[in-house]
Amino acid sequence: MSVSALVFAAFVLLVTYIYYWSTRKFDYWKRKNVPYAKPVPFFGNYMRYITLQSYIGDVTQKLCQQFPDRPYFGSFYGTEPALVLQNPEIIKQVFTKDFYYFNSRDNSDYNHKEVVTQNLFFANGDKWKVVRQNLTPLFSSLKMKNMFYLVEKCNHSLEDMLDKEIKDLQIIEIRSAMIRYTLDSICSSAFGIESNTLREGGENSPFANMGSIVFSSSITRGLKWISRSMWPGIFYKLGLQCFPAEIDGFFERVLTQVFENRGYKPTNRNDFVDLILSLKQNDYLTGDGLVPKNVDAKKVTVKVDDALLIAQCVVFFGAGFETSASTLSAALYELAKNPEAQRRAQEEVDELLLKHNNKLNYDCLAELPYLEACMNEAMRLYPVLPNITREAVADYTFPDGLRIEKGMRVHVPVYAIHRNPDNFPDPEEFRPERHLGDAKNDIKQFTFFPFGEGPRICIGMRFGKMQTIAGMVTCLKKYNFELADGMSKTVPFRSTTVLTQPSTGLFLKATPRDGWKQRIFAR
Ligand code: HEM
């Protein structure tokens, strides 16, 4: 046989093997008698996402639209079967009632492979439970109240920054401006650090730089995310990492510096670093293990080491700024398109500031129901996580008899559910009124979950809401917003990230409102 014939035969063998390997599970849903979307070799039902052409929320929404009346359907996430849930009762079952079986997000066997993936967001089982129990006290209402003076100070800096940035051009790219604000807020409240991101040139500060590394949405990063989430075994065998090592190094240095400044002892700031310092006093964290219903929990321990602590810092930093900045900028963008809603929000803000002598406090944020409704509506349309994933940690049988095996991926398509007309009529329209009064009670349970649901619901929800609403007050008290010339009324989302992020800047024209001088913050 000639060399070229040999090469050709090897090539055919390789293609045949890849075809076999990539389609070997494609009869899974048929065997289970579950309706499913027809997959294509290697890409399953997610070709446009895997090839970075479409945002994951859009891809999943299109799949859901093929099965409008089904409580769930089967899909193929690349080569791997994944069950997509649509029915609120079943979602409740997975998120809360049978949480034990679905306590993991996904790829639980691989989370120890990187420092960053050892954080609470990625953890599962006993480790997740113990870490969550130990971190939860940091986010109580009382802690938020005690921390609010730090967020308030950041809002003073935001007030100054907007004045400077808007004065010359009147045009502001609101997403990057809000990232600077939430970075400042999280660095100050969580780490006790002045990040200076709201000062002139703050967009180039080390924290802003780290923020863009953690959430970089380059093509390479996008491909890494996708391959890790679909084929983690191969991903780590190839020696790849999702998060650059410089992230661990940066936070290690930051924390060491803060620890030194505090003499390695908790202070009375009561912030995240204090909690980390108190955890560091012990070699082990103790808490209840994770057990199925009706089984008594045993106490379990988790070893405290620097990697564990750094990983929690990274998630608080990353989740703390990106999510709120996305929500804030989406809300302001939608208000810019909806002048009537903006006027109503501003009236509420003006009344509040008049009542409280231009000084914000934690409790007064609860006196802004319309603003809160605007935030909720922004999160309905732009949920930070368009798909929430869970993984069965043991074989499980659904109430209708469907049995899935340990390791099965279960996806809750938040974006599709939030934009389903059966759940929210005229779903593309921004209508804050959906979240007010009686209408709010009409929202079906488990059809609106911008913060997730069940025991894994966002741990930072109170903090996120606090800084988002405070930021909205600061922007709306002084400015009227409208879309800048050329800014589109709909924005496409990035295809290179698992988050909901606009793929273009959100440019708004901001003009000072009449009477703004009467609403300057009292400092
Ligand atoms: C508007 C702001 C925010 C939104 C929309 C948001 C959204 C979410 C969502 C959807 C989840 C997944 C929940 C689930 O799987 O059921 C989550 C988890 C999480 N969030 Fe947030 N988040 C926000 C702010 C924050 C803040 C400020 C922090 C920390 C300072 C934070 C830290 C976390 C952590 C650590 C988890 C993992 C919790 C666990 O798995 O136990 N988030 N968030």
Side-chain angles (χ1 to χ4, degrees), residues 2 29 70 98 119 123 136 183 236 242 307 309 325 362 392 431-432 435 476-477 522-523:
S2 70
W29 294 118
R70 298 289 187 163
D98 279 328
N119 70 45
T136 294
L183 271 172
Y236 286 114
C242 248
L309 300 180
Y362 181 68
R431 281 192 202 151
H435 305 274
L476 291 168
K477 78 185 176 69
R523 303 194 186 187

Side-chain angles (χ1 to χ4, degrees), residues 95 105 119-123 128 132 135 139 186 190 312 315-317 319-321 323-325 327 375 379 383-385 388-390 414 449-465 467-468:
F95 272 158
R105 284 191 192 282
N119 70 45
L120 184 66
F121 188 86
F122 290 96
W128 168 78
R132 175 115 190 177
L135 294 180
F139 293 96
I186 196 74
Q312 312 317 318
V315 75
F316 279 36
F317 169 76
F321 87 84
T323 50
S324 303
T327 304
M375 176 185 73
M379 293 192 293
V384 166
L385 279 186
I388 295 182
T389 57
R390 295 287 190 261
V414 180
F449 21 52
F451 291 99
E453 265 296 351
R456 285 207 89 136
I457 195 169
C458 174
I459 196 172
M461 180 166 68
R462 280 200 186 100
F463 188 89
K465 286 184 175 177
Q467 65 179 357
T468 302

